[in-house]
Amino acid sequence: MQQFYAEKGVFKSDIDVLYYEFRMLNQIPLVADGFWAKDNAQVESFLLHARNLIEFLHGDGHLKCSDFKDRNNKKILPMKFISKDNIEKINEHLSHISSKRRKIKIGWKTKEFKNEINKYFIEFLEKISSSYFSEGNILFNISDFVSLIVKK
């Protein structure tokens, strides 16, 4: 069977991966009518990166917030802030082969959703040991992440 991917090894550390996800969540140009995003490709991209960060913060992903230690060298505890119902709706939206998806079209309040994720992600960054910011491809600090937040 032919392999359809190549591993590039782009990220040097976990903080690099988090920076990428946070940048994608905050810099996807959403086409919006008020607070409701309507362009499907942009919404799916937003939801994909939102889900990645939610899983990270909830402690459900491959990379979890509990993989990081705070300034007292203790594991960061998961931050559950999105309901299971909302996570299921994200998964249904991203899974194109779904009988529920054809019956229910969800309008996503992307601005409020993004703000909620940002709030908890910044809280996570404020807890972690500063040593994490110096192990990636770029020397990060919290302000590098905060500067990605587009306020519109």
Side-chain angles (χ1 to χ4, degrees), residues 106-145:
I106 297 172
W108 295 95
K109 294 183 178 181
T110 55
K111 182 178 178 181
E112 290 95 334
F113 196 14
K114 180 174 70 169
N115 289 342
E116 189 74 0
I117 295 167
N118 286 343
K119 179 176 88 174
Y120 284 94
F121 192 78
I122 296 300
E123 182 181 319
F124 159 78
L125 291 174
E126 290 170 342
K127 290 179 182 179
I128 65 172
S129 168
S130 58
S131 65
Y132 290 107
F133 293 114
S134 61
E135 57 182 44
N137 288 328
I138 301 170
L139 299 180
F140 291 114
N141 60 48
I142 293 174
S143 65
D144 295 320
F145 286 85

Side-chain angles (χ1 to χ4, degrees), residues 7-54:
E7 293 182 13
K8 294 183 176 183
V10 175
F11 302 116
K12 184 177 176 185
S13 72
D14 291 340
I15 201 77
D16 290 333
V17 174
L18 293 175
Y19 186 80
Y20 168 78
E21 291 296 338
F22 194 72
R23 180 173 55 96
M24 291 301 293
L25 176 82
N26 282 285
Q27 309 234 315
I28 294 167
L30 292 171
V31 175
D33 178 15
F35 294 115
W36 297 88
K38 59 185 176 183
D39 184 79
N40 200 45
Q42 290 172 326
V43 171
E44 287 179 4
S45 182
F46 171 81
L47 290 174
L48 175 70
H49 296 288
R51 180 175 66 183
N52 290 346
L53 288 169
I54 292 165

Side-chain angles (χ1 to χ4, degrees), residues 68-76 127 129 131-132:
F68 289 77
K69 294 188 177 177
D70 66 15
R71 293 184 172 114
N72 297 317
N73 206 30
K74 294 185 177 172
K75 286 186 174 191
I76 304 273
K127 290 179 182 179
S129 168
S131 65
Y132 290 107

Side-chain angles (χ1 to χ4, degrees), residues 50-64 91:
R51 180 175 66 183
N52 290 346
L53 288 169
I54 292 165
E55 286 178 349
F56 169 78
L57 291 168
H58 280 208
D60 299 330
H62 293 285
L63 178 62
K64 303 178 250 330
N91 290 336

Side-chain angles (χ1 to χ4, degrees), residues 98-110:
S98 165
S99 59
K100 285 184 180 179
R101 187 169 186 223
R102 71 180 172 82
K103 296 174 187 171
I104 301 169
K105 192 67 176 171
I106 297 172
W108 295 95
K109 294 183 178 181
T110 55

